[in-house]
């Protein structure tokens, strides 16, 4: 929501948010901290900080602990909001007054407190209920270093704690079952129900116990003198013979499994323990047929649980997406509404900020959708010849600001680095993500290195990386941080897998990087040792062809015009997009022809109308997608230039980034400047 009647005293507040409005409208003079005009700068800065945080934070100011909190905390407060706002913490949360007495006492003495999964009983919905929280309390100090307030970060962990206790759903019961089964096995062993055999070192059976008859149906006379391996399943024979040979060479004990033939022709899984003495092999085989079947069922249950967890993560992800998009749409809609009002009132001075605000929100929305599509490996790539050294150079300052002064950043770009053909925006995101991961692995500082190299992959090295032999470039980001265990490395690219604390990582970053690299014909590999740091390398194919070009965003704001009556056919079923493109074309002097679906566009292309460029959406109604329209049109116009515009997952339709000459792709949403430059470049090429 938008703040009304701006007040200079409230300049430190964010422009939006319920909590910001509450701060602006609250009668602070009635509290011990006084009116906003008397607030010290540290209080203003603290309030501005917490109001912009997505994490639930509350500031407890002064001896009374006056509560000022953000929108995220208001959700945590439940039905106690907004009454808590501006109240004394001991009175606002009366049921835990003793707990907060200690918090204020410790915080105002300059010390910190931290609780993990702290249980408290709160009344947030009319009735007392137990809740669990991660609580971090830090003193807020004035310019003289004296504590004058306490900042509390509150993350509710109730659902996690309940789930863990329930799982502990399950472990206690499982342990008791295992213990019971173990006792049963001990009784079975004492009663000699396991099959036992004595054989010489050639595998010839010397003696068997009665369990062979009760368990496998074979009589003693049918077994004595027979080859032990002759009763084994054909698929297990080689492995069993190898185990017998190992025992004959002096291996002291062996455990292995195989399938044995029952006299009725069926097969039974046995788990063997075998030891040799001077003359014979002594082995006991336990029937594990039921356990094998149970293991299969358990795996199915684990798969179902894992799927359930992934679906829960998807639910959290979509909730976050909805939140982000609602914020972005609020920014776009609000700025456009203000722009409309100002134009209607004839007040044109300063309207550029509303335009810029809407454009900024649009760019952020576009970035969000691209990240999501990268995670699902369905984003439409816009590959172009790219100089990775120059791209990293453009990113270097942003990387240094992101990782902070505790971390030394070193960039080592290979001289004569080959050009690669890739989506530069996605490569930007991938490198930045790897640098953020490296920063998080070095909480106490360290060294981050970004290096590039030319790589010639022969059959062996390419096979190790699941790549085709050939020439590649590598971009490696290494750190001197905590490193990874083999188990973590094996799961690092799994969606939703993260080793970061709850709320600090989605587990999507490396998955998105892997999806982007594979779509680009490359690969990602992790090299790490626990406690010794990590290195993540992106391998991308070398590009043979034109040199790397500048981004369209670096071009002039003077849009290139048509001065020769060039004609562009626009095929798109979305009227708003069609209107935008045709308006841009006409403003720049082009003649624009419109078609709402593939068949209509193809009829125009089959006529003798002049068409210098076809701009078509990929997903079209009418039975023909954009690629089909372009391919059909080239039967009549072999040199027709085609610009595909797409906003979703039609990457496979248009060639997975490998387009025919004269075809290019532009990803929605696009800027007018980017569209105009691409049209001019393609027509003149």
């Amino acid at each position: 929501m938008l703040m009304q009647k701006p007040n200079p005293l409230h300049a430190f507040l964010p422009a939006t948010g319920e909590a910001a409005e509450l701060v602006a409208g609250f009668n602070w003079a009635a509290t011990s901290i006084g009116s906003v005009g008397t607030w010290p700068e540290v209080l203003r800065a603290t309030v501005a900080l917490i109001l912009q945080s997505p994490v639930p934070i509350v500031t407890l100011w002064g001896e009374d602990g006056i509560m000022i909190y953000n929108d995220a905390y208001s959700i945590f407060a439940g039905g106690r909001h907004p009454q808590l706002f501006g109240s004394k913490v001991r009175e606002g949360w009366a049921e835990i007054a003793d707990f907060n007495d200690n918090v204020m006492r410790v915080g105002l003495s300059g010390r910190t407190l931290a609780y993990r999964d702290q249980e408290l009983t709160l009344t947030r919905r009319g009735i007392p209920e137990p809740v669990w929280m991660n609580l971090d309390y830090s003193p807020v100090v004035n310019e003289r270093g004296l504590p004058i307030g306490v900042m509390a970060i509150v993350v509710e962990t109730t659902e996690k704690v309940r789930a863990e206790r329930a799982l502990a759903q399950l472990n206690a019961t499982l342990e008791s079952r295992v213990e019971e089964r173990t006792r049963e096995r001990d009784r079975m062993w004492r009663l000699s129900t396991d099959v036992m055999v004595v054989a010489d070192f050639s595998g010839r059976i010397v003696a068997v116990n009665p369990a062979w008859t009760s368990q496998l149906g074979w009589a003693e006379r049918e077994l004595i003198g027979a080859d032990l391996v002759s009763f084994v399943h054909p698929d297990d024979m080689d492995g069993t013979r190898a185990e017998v040979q190992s025992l004959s060479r002096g291996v002291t004990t062996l455990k292995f499994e195989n399938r044995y033939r029952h006299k009725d022709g069926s097969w039974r899984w046995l788990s063997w323990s075998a030891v040799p003495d001077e003359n014979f092999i002594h082995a006991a085989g336990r029937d594990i047929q039921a356990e094998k079947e149970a293991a299969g069922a358990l795996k199915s249950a684990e798969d179902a649980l894992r799927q359930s967890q992934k679906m829960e993560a998807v639910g959290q992800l979509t909730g976050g997406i909805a939140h982000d998009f609602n914020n972005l749409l609020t920014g776009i809609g609000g700025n456009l509404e203000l722009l409309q009002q100002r134009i209607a009132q004839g007040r044109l001075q300063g309207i550029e900020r509303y335009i810029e605000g809407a454009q900024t929100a649009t760019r952020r929305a576009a970035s969000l959708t691209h990240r999501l599509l990268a995670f699902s490996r369905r984003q439409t790539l816009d590959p172009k010849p790219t100089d990775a050294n120059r791209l990293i150079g453009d990113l270097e300052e942003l990387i240094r600001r992101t990782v902070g002064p505790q971390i030394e950043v070193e960039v080592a770009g290979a001289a004569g680095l080959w050009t690669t053909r890739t989506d530069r925006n996605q490569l930007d995101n991938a490198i930045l993500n790897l640098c953020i991961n490296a920063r998080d692995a070095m909480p106490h500082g360290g060294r981050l290195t970004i290096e590039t190299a030319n790589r010639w992959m022969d059959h062996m090295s390419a096979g190790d990386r699941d790549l085709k032999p050939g020439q590649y470039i590598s971009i490696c980001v290494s750190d001197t941080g905590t490193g990874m265990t083999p188990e973590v490395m094996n799961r690092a690219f799994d969606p939703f897998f993260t080793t970061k604390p709850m709320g600090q990582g989605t587990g999507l970053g490396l998955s998105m990087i892997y999806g982007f690299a594979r779509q680009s014909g490359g690969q990602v590999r992790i090299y790490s040792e626990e406690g010794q740091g990590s290195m993540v390398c992106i391998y991308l194919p070398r590009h043979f062809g034109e040199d790397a070009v500048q981004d369209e965003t670096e071009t002039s704001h003077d849009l290139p015009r048509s001065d020769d009556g060039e004609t562009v056919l626009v095929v798109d079923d979305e009227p708003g997009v069609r209107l935008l493109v045709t308006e841009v074309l006409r403003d720049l002097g082009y003649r624009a022809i419109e078609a709402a679906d593939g068949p209509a566009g193809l009829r125009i292309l089959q006529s003798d109308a002049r068409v210098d460029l076809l701009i078509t959406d990929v997903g079209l109604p009418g039975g023909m997608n954009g690629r089909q329209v372009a391919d059909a049109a080239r039967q009549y116009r072999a040199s027709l230039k085609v610009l595909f515009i797409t906003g979703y997952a039609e990457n496979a339709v248009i060639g997975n980034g490998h387009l025919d000459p004269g075809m290019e792709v532009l990803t929605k949403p696009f800027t007018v400047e980017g569209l105009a430059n691409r049209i001019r470049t393609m027509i003149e090429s």
Side-chain angles (χ1 to χ4, degrees):
M1 60 182 70
L2 296 173
M3 304 229 346
Q4 302 296 322
K5 298 182 180 179
N7 185 328
L9 294 177
H10 303 147
F12 67 95
L13 296 174
T16 61
E18 180 189 6
E21 284 200 345
L22 286 173
V23 173
F26 196 83
N27 181 17
W28 297 109
T31 71
S32 59
I33 65 175
S35 62
V36 173
T38 67
W39 284 10
E41 184 58 33
V42 64
L43 176 54
R44 294 169 181 262
T46 301
V47 171
L49 170 68
I50 70 171
L51 291 182
Q52 297 184 67
S53 174
V55 177
I57 304 179
V58 58
T59 296
L60 313 175
W61 203 258
E63 291 288 343
D64 290 335
I66 301 299
M67 300 179 69
I68 307 173
Y69 51 78
N70 59 11
D71 290 337
Y73 186 91
S74 70
I75 297 172
F76 164 80
R80 301 289 277 272
H81 174 75
Q83 291 81 4
L84 284 177
F85 205 85
S87 70
K88 300 176 181 179
V89 66
R90 299 171 183 85
E91 298 173 359
W93 292 109
E95 61 268 42
I96 54 170
D98 291 343
F99 182 86
N100 283 321
D101 272 338
N102 182 61
V103 167
M104 297 304 299
R105 183 165 52 253
V106 172
L108 292 179
S109 69
R111 292 175 291 161
T112 62
L113 284 172
Y115 300 91
R116 291 296 173 265
D117 295 330
Q118 173 66 40
E119 182 178 2
L120 294 172
T121 300
L122 301 180
T123 303
R124 300 184 295 180
R125 300 173 181 86
I127 59 172
E129 58 178 340
V131 298
W132 288 264
M133 294 168 287
N134 287 346
L135 302 168
D136 291 274
Y137 298 97
S138 302
V140 181
V141 299
N142 63 16
E143 64 277 2
R144 291 177 296 167
L146 298 177
I148 55 176
V150 179
M151 180 182 293
I153 300 175
V154 181
V155 178
E156 184 165 357
T157 62
T158 300
E159 294 302 321
K160 177 183 78 71
V161 171
R162 287 175 177 165
E164 288 175 348
R165 292 186 175 183
L167 184 61
Q169 168 191 347
L170 176 61
N171 288 344
T173 302
L174 184 59
E175 287 176 6
S176 65
R177 289 166 57 193
V178 170
E179 291 174 2
E180 181 181 355
R181 182 170 295 176
T182 301
R183 288 193 296 270
E184 291 176 355
R185 291 173 189 166
D186 290 342
R187 288 195 296 271
M188 292 171 62
W189 181 261
R190 289 194 300 270
L191 296 172
S192 300
T193 55
D194 290 344
V195 293
M196 298 179 180
V197 64
V198 178
D200 62 24
F201 289 118
S202 67
R204 189 75 53 189
I205 296 175
V206 175
V208 295
N209 71 336
W212 281 87
T213 303
S214 60
Q215 299 299 320
L216 295 175
W218 298 106
E220 182 181 14
R221 64 179 181 279
E222 297 174 297
L223 298 170
I224 300 299
D227 183 3
L228 179 68
V229 180
S230 64
F231 295 88
V232 174
H233 191 284
D235 292 344
D236 301 335
M237 279 187 174
D238 291 342
T240 303
R241 290 193 189 278
E243 304 293 359
V244 171
Q245 291 171 5
S246 297
L247 289 165
S248 67
R249 290 195 297 268
V251 175
T252 57
T253 182
L254 274 178
K255 294 182 181 294
F256 60 96
E257 297 175 358
N258 60 20
R259 286 160 288 185
Y260 250 76
R261 186 171 74 249
H262 193 283
K263 191 171 183 177
D264 64 10
S266 63
W267 298 97
R268 304 290 294 179
W269 275 102
L270 299 178
S271 176
W272 291 95
S273 297
V275 295
D277 61 16
E278 294 181 356
N279 301 306
F280 298 103
I281 296 170
H282 301 264
R286 180 169 53 86
D287 187 335
I288 59 168
Q289 184 69 26
E291 293 180 34
K292 284 287 186 180
E293 294 170 356
L298 180 59
K299 184 178 184 306
S300 298
E302 289 173 346
D303 291 343
L305 177 60
R306 190 174 297 111
Q307 179 66 19
S308 174
Q309 292 170 335
K310 288 183 179 180
M311 292 307 296
E312 180 182 357
V314 169
Q316 294 171 353
L317 176 66
T318 54
I321 295 167
H323 175 270
D324 288 348
F325 264 108
N326 284 334
N327 285 341
L328 294 170
L329 291 173
T330 299
I332 295 169
N335 278 289
L336 292 177
E337 187 176 352
L338 288 173
L339 179 63
Q340 183 183 39
Q341 293 173 1
R342 286 296 186 91
I343 292 174
Q345 296 165 357
R347 298 166 58 199
L348 303 183
Q349 186 175 3
I351 63 174
E352 294 84 1
R353 67 178 181 271
Y354 302 127
I355 297 172
E356 177 60 29
Q359 289 176 332
T360 298
T362 301
R363 288 192 291 269
R364 288 177 57 204
S367 176
L368 177 60
T369 57
H370 286 314
R371 289 198 300 271
L372 293 170
L373 291 173
F375 154 68
S376 64
R377 305 177 197 169
R378 294 175 66 84
Q379 86 275 36
T380 301
L381 300 181
D382 185 11
K384 295 177 183 176
T386 300
D387 180 345
N389 280 345
R390 185 167 68 189
L391 181 144
I392 294 169
D394 293 341
L395 274 179
E396 185 173 349
E397 182 59 29
L398 174 61
I399 291 170
R400 291 183 186 276
R401 290 201 307 269
T402 300
V403 302
Q406 281 189 302
I407 295 176
E408 177 188 353
V409 177
E410 179 182 355
V411 176
L417 185 69
W418 295 327
T419 297
T420 186
R421 190 167 186 268
T422 188
D423 186 305
R424 281 173 275 176
N425 288 331
Q426 295 298 329
L427 184 55
D428 271 348
N429 289 338
I431 294 172
L432 189 57
N433 260 319
L434 292 180
C435 292
I436 290 172
N437 285 350
R439 176 200 67 188
D440 293 344
M442 298 183 286
H444 304 297
R447 186 175 66 257
L448 183 152
T449 304
I450 308 170
E451 53 188 326
T452 62
N454 294 326
R455 305 275 186 169
W456 189 297
M457 303 281 189
D458 58 19
H459 284 277
M460 180 175 294
S461 57
D464 289 342
R465 295 169 177 83
D466 193 20
L467 289 169
K468 296 179 181 178
Q471 295 177 331
Y472 295 81
I473 71 160
S474 66
I475 304 167
C476 297
V477 177
S478 57
D479 63 67
T480 58
T482 55
M484 305 182 196
T485 65
E487 294 77 17
V488 169
M489 281 195 290
N490 287 337
R491 298 192 59 195
F493 295 122
D494 290 353
F496 308 111
F497 175 76
T498 179
T499 59
K500 296 179 182 178
M502 182 174 292
Q504 296 184 23
T506 62
L508 301 179
L510 284 175
S511 177
M512 291 188 286
I513 294 170
Y514 179 81
F516 153 69
R518 296 304 279 167
Q519 275 190 276
S520 302
Q523 183 59 279
V524 184
R525 282 289 183 264
I526 299 175
Y527 309 92
S528 182
E529 184 176 343
E530 191 172 12
Q532 302 297 316
S534 302
M535 180 170 71
V536 183
C537 290
I538 302 174
Y539 300 93
L540 296 172
R542 180 183 183 181
H543 173 65
F544 296 90
E546 68 270 30
D547 292 334
V549 296
Q550 295 282 357
D551 288 335
E552 290 174 351
T553 53
E554 300 173 6
T555 61
S556 169
H557 287 279
D558 296 328
L559 302 184
R561 299 181 56 83
S562 169
D563 54 8
D564 192 29
E566 287 107 341
T567 301
V568 179
L569 172 60
V570 181
V571 184
D572 199 305
D573 63 305
E574 177 56 48
V577 176
R578 207 165 61 241
L579 174 64
L580 169 66
V581 176
T582 55
E583 284 293 316
V584 170
L585 290 168
R586 288 165 182 156
D587 284 351
L588 295 177
Y590 296 92
R591 180 170 175 260
I593 306 175
E594 300 181 46
D597 57 34
L602 188 58
R603 285 194 293 272
I604 295 171
L605 291 165
Q606 290 171 336
S607 71
D608 57 1
R610 175 179 177 177
V611 177
D612 296 279
L613 174 68
L614 167 64
I615 299 179
T616 177
D617 194 2
V618 177
L620 292 172
M624 296 185 74
N625 62 43
R627 181 59 189 259
Q628 291 170 329
V629 172
D631 290 342
R634 282 197 167 185
Q635 296 180 16
Y636 308 95
R637 301 170 184 256
S639 60
L640 177 67
K641 295 166 184 174
V642 182
L643 176 60
F644 295 107
I645 54 176
T646 178
Y648 178 48
E650 302 102 344
N651 198 36
V653 175
I654 58 177
N656 288 305
H658 303 289
L659 297 172
D660 295 340
M663 291 182 176
E664 294 189 16
V665 62
L666 184 63
T667 304
K668 298 176 186 174
F670 46 78
T671 64
V672 170
E673 181 179 353
L675 174 65
N677 287 325
R678 186 70 67 90
I679 291 170
R680 191 70 248 158
T681 300
M682 290 192 69
I683 289 179
E684 291 180 352
S685 64

